[in-house]
Amino acid sequence: MKTMNRRSFFNTTALAGLAATLGGGARAGAATKTVPVPDRPAELNLCLQWNGIPGGGMNEKLDFLEANGFTAVELPTGKWLFDNGGAFQKAIQGRKLAVATACGPSDFSYADKARREAEVEKFLPQLEILGGLKSVGLILCPARKNVAMGFRELRDDFVNNTGRRLARHAAKHGTSIVLEPLRRGETPFLKLVADGASIARDIGEGAAVMGDFWHMAQEETSQMGAFLSGGNLLKHVHIASLKDRKIPGCEPKYDRYVDGFRGLKMIGYRGAVSFEGGIPKGGDRVKLIKAMVIYLRDQWAEA
Ligand code: MG
């Protein structure tokens, strides 16, 4: 992100002062000049999670993504990655699809050090596979519902030990760990994008953060503010309908993403916006996915 030099700051400040004397319309126009300008404009890169992509075979799923305006794909972790990573690498060659993240359960808050160690060991080889796929990163949650460590102890251990080791290993293989803040019912530990960004910053190389509109709808005081706090460390976004965590657009009364999208535009976000949620009972998955693409593009244009 470009930072304003002293001269342009003063020019903007002078403009804002002038606007204050001119009234509301001019004031609103000047206020936008104080927002940081990204080096490159943001892009909406829509993405689906592997198990939610229509189609049976690997190529059928990838064909569906390309034919329907998606530019990224999100993979499962664990057994799927070990069993299918090689075949997937071949299937994605020559396609205009980026490998966003891989998503699966994680927890580094066990009281037993050996269990925390086992959790690190579990993910080290998966990071190597993801690096080979040029994936953005591995989504991790430092803690889930039952946090057996004190918060300070857990943060220190994650920043200096478990999370750091995974992040460094990720960086070595050309990928990253991507911290996901959740809702309070799912974890009391990491709920805000700003907190995830601060943990990622403290870890340093190989660590990033993401935002999930579903979690953010309950936890954040400002969607735009949350994404601004993520800044350059924001590498992934999950999206769902905001009332029931279904596909965006099926509850249009609640599904407003414009404020968050404005934040993404301000930071020049070009990562994936990936649908993570359900399909309403009896709904036609293909039809609903096509409608979601239009729905989200409209709100991105409005932002
Ligand atoms: Mg999520």
Side-chain angles (χ1 to χ4, degrees):
M1 233 180 282
K2 277 176 203 147
T3 45
M4 275 187 289
N5 63 31
R6 209 174 154 78
R7 194 189 169 101
S8 67
F9 173 79
F10 281 120
N11 284 345
T12 314
T13 309
L15 261 178
L18 178 65
T21 61
L22 291 177
R27 191 182 301 134
T32 60
K33 291 185 194 300
T34 64
V35 165
V37 179
D39 296 329
R40 293 191 304 170
E43 251 175 26
L44 180 63
N45 285 299
L46 294 174
C47 175
L48 289 180
Q49 294 186 323
W50 190 252
N51 293 323
I53 306 171
M58 200 173 262
N59 278 306
E60 212 180 318
K61 283 175 181 279
L62 297 174
D63 288 346
F64 178 89
L65 291 176
E66 287 186 320
N68 288 283
F70 292 90
T71 45
V73 56
E74 180 170 337
L75 303 176
T77 55
K79 190 175 184 316
W80 187 94
L81 200 57
F82 288 118
D83 291 351
N84 299 288
F88 179 83
Q89 191 159 23
K90 285 196 189 99
I92 197 120
Q93 266 170 23
R95 291 182 182 268
K96 289 190 189 101
L97 288 169
V99 185
T101 50
C103 185
S106 67
D107 192 339
F108 300 88
S109 70
Y110 302 116
D112 180 5
K113 194 170 186 291
R115 283 188 79 185
R116 301 201 297 273
E117 193 61 32
E119 197 73 348
V120 172
E121 294 295 328
K122 179 173 100 182
F123 287 113
L124 290 172
Q126 299 187 50
L127 286 165
E128 292 166 22
I129 298 172
L130 291 171
L133 296 174
K134 296 191 169 53
S135 162
V136 166
L138 171 70
I139 297 174
L140 292 179
C141 301
R144 304 296 297 208
K145 204 166 187 169
N146 300 309
V147 183
M149 301 166 81
F151 280 16
R152 183 168 175 182
E153 184 193 8
L154 168 58
R155 193 187 192 282
D156 286 350
D157 188 58
F158 192 76
V159 165
N160 298 307
N161 177 29
T162 53
R164 179 174 299 235
R165 281 159 59 209
L166 286 164
R168 294 298 184 269
H169 195 70
K172 195 173 131 194
H173 290 276
T175 185
S176 66
I177 62 165
V178 183
L179 308 181
E180 180 169 21
L182 303 174
R183 288 191 170 205
R184 63 195 61 194
E186 294 163 302
T187 186
F189 180 70
L190 175 56
K191 307 187 294 289
L192 300 175
V193 174
D195 281 345
S198 101
I199 293 172
R201 177 204 58 203
D202 289 351
I203 290 174
E205 192 187 13
V209 71
M210 61 167 289
D212 180 323
F213 272 97
W214 165 251
H215 304 304
M216 289 166 67
Q218 181 176 53
E219 298 298 341
E220 302 286 353
T221 50
S222 161
Q223 309 283 298
M224 183 200 286
F227 285 133
L228 288 177
S229 304
N232 290 336
L233 290 168
L234 191 92
K235 300 290 182 201
H236 194 64
V237 171
H238 279 160
I239 198 162
S241 72
L242 299 179
K243 184 167 165 277
D244 291 322
R245 207 181 196 181
K246 303 287 187 218
I247 189 162
C250 68
E251 295 160 341
K253 192 177 151 199
Y254 304 97
D255 295 348
R256 292 289 295 164
Y257 308 103
V258 173
D259 185 60
F261 282 171
R262 280 190 185 132
L264 293 177
K265 284 189 172 180
M266 285 178 199
I267 61 170
Y269 181 73
R270 291 182 159 225
V273 174
S274 185
F275 164 46
E276 180 181 61
I279 297 290
K281 224 175 171 182
D284 180 330
R285 179 177 291 272
V286 171
K287 254 193 196 166
L288 287 167
I289 288 174
K290 288 180 180 192
M292 173 187 78
V293 170
I294 296 166
Y295 190 83
L296 293 180
R297 280 180 179 163
D298 282 352
Q299 293 211 4
W300 182 261
E302 190 187 331

